[in-house]
Amino acid sequence: MTKVWKLFLLLLAFGSLQAQDGSYVEVRDFETWTSAELNFKASKKISFGLQQQVRLDNNSSELKNTFTQASASYTLFKNFELEYGLRYIAINDNSGAVQGYNYDYRHHFDFSYKHKIKPLALKHRLRYTTRNEVGISAEEGDMARNHLRYRLKLDYNIKGWKLDPILSGEIFNRFENGINEGFSDYRITFGTDYNLKKAGKIGIYYRYQKELNTSYPMEVHLIRLKYSFTLKNY
């Protein structure tokens, strides 16, 4: 437990350590993310997911982007899981001389491991993402945006309480043109889920996210609202 909390303190310390030299300007925003998910468990080992998400920025007054994501996961053996996901993103470009919507697609590959240290349930996730603009080739100037991300998620089980707290921390490492550019972002998330039994599950989360290693880091506070429904074939 001591090691777990030390990890989160280190993540929180990234921002303060970066800010002490006074060499950059922070850009702050408040965003709202809402999503609906449909999950289908085809068997004990194979699952599929479909998600639609809408994100608002500029103090939650304007559309930032919306995306549709399909995913498939496979349980290798107890507590180890692989996942592949494909995301199609519509981005609202509302600045500059030419405005409108741009479209990206993103692949992600996950390797996850979960275990319990009662009353905690811990899940480690290593994710690789690669993102490109639709219809633009590398010769035309499109450069793949790649990240390697590690997330630690903690679920705290409180006996007799339906709103168990969830805490997670995630760190992003960026790769561009095959070059490791170092840590680019980190996230801290706190929230809870409420099981509606046969009607699905709803969740509400607060997230703090900040860019690293840039002269004008974006610092975002956001609220995420999520609804998910799961079907089982077994």
Side-chain angles (χ1 to χ4, degrees):
M1 281 297 297
T2 301
K3 292 181 179 179
V4 169
W5 288 113
K6 283 183 177 179
L7 174 61
F8 282 106
L9 290 173
L10 284 172
L11 288 171
L12 287 169
F14 263 110
S16 60
L17 289 174
Q18 290 280 328
Q20 286 177 2
D21 62 4
S23 61
Y24 63 61
V25 177
E26 292 180 354
V27 182
R28 295 181 175 89
D29 199 3
F30 176 78
E31 299 185 3
T32 303
W33 298 3
T34 57
S35 66
E37 301 176 11
L38 176 63
N39 301 301
F40 175 63
K41 291 185 176 293
S43 69
K44 290 185 177 181
K45 287 182 173 288
I46 300 173
S47 299
F48 300 94
L50 184 64
Q51 178 186 163
Q52 183 66 43
Q53 186 169 142
V54 176
R55 297 180 177 181
L56 305 177
D57 64 358
N58 193 15
N59 290 322
S60 300
S61 64
E62 298 179 355
L63 177 67
K64 179 181 181 181
N65 63 57
T66 180
F67 66 78
T68 303
Q69 178 174 288
S71 61
S73 61
Y74 178 75
T75 301
L76 288 172
F77 41 90
K78 186 178 180 180
N79 298 333
F80 288 89
E81 185 178 85
L82 293 177
E83 180 178 295
Y84 166 74
L86 176 61
R87 179 179 295 185
Y88 182 77
I89 313 165
I91 306 157
N92 182 24
D93 182 2
N94 53 10
S95 62
V98 180
Q99 300 186 18
Y101 282 90
N102 299 322
Y103 299 92
D104 285 6
Y105 63 91
R106 195 199 76 171
H107 304 274
H108 77 248
F109 303 88
D110 291 356
F111 177 75
S112 302
Y113 169 67
K114 58 184 179 181
H115 60 103
K116 290 185 178 181
I117 305 175
K118 292 185 177 181
L120 287 175
L122 295 86
K123 185 174 182 179
H124 308 264
R125 187 187 74 186
L126 188 64
R127 166 173 285 186
Y128 173 77
T129 66
T130 180
R131 178 170 168 170
N132 290 86
E133 189 171 353
V134 174
I136 306 295
S137 66
E139 291 75 17
E140 294 171 315
D142 180 44
M143 306 302 295
R145 286 150 286 173
N146 308 316
H147 288 88
L148 186 63
R149 301 159 50 173
Y150 169 73
R151 187 189 73 181
L152 175 61
K153 181 181 177 183
L154 308 176
D155 290 31
Y156 189 87
N157 182 20
I158 302 174
K159 189 176 181 180
W161 181 252
K162 294 184 178 181
L163 299 174
D164 292 337
I166 301 170
L167 179 65
S168 70
E170 186 169 16
I171 188 76
F172 294 62
N173 196 67
R174 181 172 54 210
F175 296 82
E176 301 289 345
N177 301 322
I179 300 173
N180 182 0
E181 296 191 354
F183 294 116
S184 60
D185 304 84
Y186 74 92
R187 288 175 174 173
I188 302 293
T189 305
F190 177 76
T192 189
D193 291 331
Y194 182 76
N195 195 336
L196 300 172
K197 297 182 179 180
K198 293 184 178 181
K201 184 185 291 186
I202 57 174
I204 181 168
Y205 310 92
Y206 162 77
R207 173 171 291 166
Y208 173 80
Q209 179 171 321
K210 187 173 182 178
E211 291 181 325
L212 301 170
N213 297 318
T214 179
S215 298
Y216 299 93
M218 174 62 76
E219 182 183 74
V220 175
H221 301 266
L222 68 90
I223 295 295
R224 183 183 178 191
L225 304 173
K226 181 181 75 171
Y227 171 77
S228 62
F229 185 81
T230 300
L231 298 170
K232 290 185 178 181
N233 193 40
Y234 65 92

